[in-house]
């Protein structure tokens, strides 16, 4: 049994080495992503370990089947960039890490909102220009806000606890309500109701076909004027053009997003010496009431360690089960 891992960063390497030593299983590490060029390198391995937001190579699962690769183990949560129908067809198990550190993302989302409420970007710009006056950039307090949480899984629940700790009123919507949260009476009956009531809307749900552009022009029209939007989930949940239009007419007072619908070729890439061709993102970057981060909400030491170790353990479990099944059949 031996594994190959792609997209491996320097901050992940110590955890890969630690796991190899403890499990006596070879794991070959590669910085490049899993694409058409690197796919042939997987031939002699039992499992492939990856983490990437970009698309995977066409025909990947068929290639895995032909070469007896037993599993694809993701170091992240999202599977929306995978052809799961092909994985099922060729019987290649796909594992992910559904809970590497819910608190990391929840804490980050609240941190970003607090910066928007206290206009820290505006004050940094003023101070850089040696303008130390307060007015007219007066802040707002979180405890006076109604926070609408869409998606109450592990991350959403962690965020709710933090918001409640600040004294904010929390309302929530989820297709599958949590029983303990339901007992608190925080759920509303529809997303429309949440959009109409919330001063802050924070997204903590996966991207599915049904949720594509969940926040679109119609959704923004339903919101209160001066609403704040926080997205640490998936870029495809927001129609970015509609969001920019809402910002320009002050329908949206501020937005923080850690994910962007066209982030694949941009986030976690060094573009300092390259032409920046995304005009939509470029316009957002200069707005004083917009906070953009390159998909780093998860990026803590705790989360990175868990992502590596859980993905490796999942790959090992799949391979051992496959071996056991073969022995039973024999």
């Amino acid at each position: 049994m031996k594994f190959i891992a792609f997209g491996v960063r320097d901050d992940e390497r110590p955890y890969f080495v630690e796991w190899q030593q403890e499990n006596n299983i070879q794991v070959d590490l590669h910085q490049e992503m899993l694409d058409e060029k690197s796919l042939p390198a997987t031939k002699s391995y039992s499992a492939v370990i990856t983490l990437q937001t970009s698309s995977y190579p066409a025909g990947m699962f068929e290639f895995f089947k032909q070469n007896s690769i037993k599993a694809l183990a993701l170091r992240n949560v999202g599977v929306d960039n995978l052809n799961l129908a092909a994985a099922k067809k060729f019987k290649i198990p796909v594992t992910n890490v559904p809970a590497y550190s819910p608190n990391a993302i929840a804490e980050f989302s609240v941190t970003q909102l607090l910066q928007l409420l206290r206009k820290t970007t505006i004050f940094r710009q003023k101070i850089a220009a040696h303008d130390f006056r307060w007015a007219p950039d007066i802040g707002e307090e979180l405890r006076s806000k109604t926070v609408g949480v869409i998606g109450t899984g592990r991350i959403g629940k962690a965020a709710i606890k933090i918001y409640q700790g600040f004294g904010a009123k929390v309302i929530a919507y989820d297709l599958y309500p949590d029983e303990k949260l339901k007992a608190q009476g925080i759920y509303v009956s529809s997303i429309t109701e949440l959009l109409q009531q919330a001063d802050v809307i924070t997204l903590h749900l996966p991207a599915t076909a049904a949720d594509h552009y969940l926040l679109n022009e119609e959704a923004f029209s339903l919101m209160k004027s001066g609403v704040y939007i926080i997205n640490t989930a998936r870029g495809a949940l927001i129609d970015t053009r509609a969001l920019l239009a809402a910002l320009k007419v002050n329908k949206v007072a501020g937005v923080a997003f850690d994910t962007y619908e066209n982030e694949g070729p941009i986030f976690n890439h060094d573009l300092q010496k390259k032409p920046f061709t995304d005009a939509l993102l470029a316009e957002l970057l200069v707005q004083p009431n917009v906070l953009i981060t390159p998909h780093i909400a998860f990026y803590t030491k705790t989360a990175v360690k868990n992502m590596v170790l859980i993905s490796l353990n999942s790959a090992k479990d799949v391979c051992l089960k496959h071996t056991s099944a073969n022995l039973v059949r024999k």
Side-chain angles (χ1 to χ4, degrees), residues 185-257:
I186 69 171
Y187 283 107
V188 293
S189 59
S190 68
I191 288 182
T192 295
E193 190 176 345
L194 184 144
L195 297 179
Q196 291 172 334
Q197 293 183 23
D199 301 305
V200 176
I201 296 167
T202 181
L203 303 178
H204 299 288
L205 68 164
T208 65
D211 291 324
H212 184 75
Y213 283 179
L214 179 71
L215 300 189
N216 54 21
E217 185 177 358
E218 181 182 358
F220 287 118
S221 71
L222 295 171
M223 298 175 193
K224 291 182 176 181
S225 290
V227 68
Y228 291 90
I229 308 293
I230 313 295
N231 184 13
T232 53
R234 284 292 181 269
L237 295 169
I238 297 180
D239 179 344
T240 313
R241 292 190 182 279
L243 171 63
L244 182 58
L247 277 162
K248 287 181 175 179
V249 296
N250 299 317
K251 181 73 173 186
V252 173
V255 59
F257 57 88

Side-chain angles (χ1 to χ4, degrees), residues 33-321:
M33 294 299 177
L34 181 54
D35 55 21
E36 299 288 352
K37 290 182 179 179
S38 59
L39 182 61
T42 65
K43 271 187 180 180
S44 60
Y45 293 88
S46 306
V48 177
I49 320 296
T50 70
L51 188 161
Q52 61 192 66
T53 57
S54 56
S55 60
Y56 286 89
M60 177 178 71
F61 290 110
E62 182 177 8
F63 184 89
F64 286 175
K65 185 69 173 179
Q66 291 170 348
N67 291 279
S68 301
I69 296 164
K70 300 172 182 66
L72 175 68
L74 308 181
R75 305 196 296 280
N76 55 284
V77 178
V79 296
D80 46 292
N81 57 339
L82 283 171
N83 186 345
L84 295 179
K88 183 177 181 180
K89 176 182 177 181
F90 294 105
K91 298 181 180 179
I92 304 297
V94 175
T95 68
N96 66 347
V97 185
Y100 39 81
S101 181
N103 272 59
I105 297 168
E107 289 177 9
F108 188 81
S109 67
V110 180
T111 299
Q112 296 298 84
L113 173 61
L114 290 170
Q115 290 193 78
L116 290 173
L117 291 175
R118 298 309 297 265
K119 305 183 188 298
T120 56
T121 298
I122 293 173
F123 278 104
R124 279 196 296 269
Q125 292 173 346
K126 288 170 71 171
I127 289 169
H130 295 172
D131 180 354
F132 297 93
R133 292 172 295 176
W134 306 341
D137 303 301
I138 192 166
E140 301 176 71
E141 296 183 23
L142 178 50
R143 69 188 180 99
S144 68
K145 301 297 182 184
T146 296
V147 178
V149 178
I150 303 180
T152 56
R154 295 179 180 90
I155 298 169
K157 282 187 282 193
I160 286 169
K161 285 184 180 179
I162 299 172
Y163 284 119
Q164 289 176 330
F166 274 90
K169 177 184 177 182
V170 177
I171 59 175
Y173 178 80
D174 196 301
L175 283 174
Y176 307 100
D178 178 85
E179 290 302 319
K180 290 183 180 179
L181 291 178
K182 190 188 289 187
Q184 295 182 25
I186 69 171
Y187 283 107
V188 293
S189 59
S190 68
I191 288 182
T192 295
E193 190 176 345
L194 184 144
L195 297 179
Q196 291 172 334
Q197 293 183 23
D199 301 305
V200 176
I201 296 167
T202 181
L203 303 178
H204 299 288
L205 68 164
T208 65
D211 291 324
H212 184 75
Y213 283 179
L214 179 71
L215 300 189
N216 54 21
E217 185 177 358
E218 181 182 358
F220 287 118
S221 71
L222 295 171
M223 298 175 193
K224 291 182 176 181
S225 290
V227 68
Y228 291 90
I229 308 293
I230 313 295
N231 184 13
T232 53
R234 284 292 181 269
L237 295 169
I238 297 180
D239 179 344
T240 313
R241 292 190 182 279
L243 171 63
L244 182 58
L247 277 162
K248 287 181 175 179
V249 296
N250 299 317
K251 181 73 173 186
V252 173
V255 59
F257 57 88
D258 187 55
T259 59
Y260 171 57
E261 60 177 309
N262 303 314
E263 71 180 57
I266 301 172
F267 287 4
N268 204 27
H269 295 284
D270 184 358
L271 304 180
Q272 293 181 85
K273 297 179 181 179
K274 298 179 181 179
F276 195 80
T277 58
D278 192 314
L280 182 59
L281 184 58
E283 188 168 0
L284 284 163
L285 283 167
V286 298
Q287 305 300 318
N289 56 346
V290 174
L291 295 175
I292 300 172
T293 47
H295 214 133
I296 59 163
F298 81 95
Y299 195 48
T300 66
K301 293 178 180 179
T302 299
V304 169
K305 180 177 182 178
N306 288 341
M307 293 166 81
V308 171
L309 300 186
I310 293 171
S311 66
L312 288 167
N313 286 329
S314 297
K316 178 183 174 182
D317 289 345
V318 171
C319 291
L320 288 175
K321 287 177 183 176

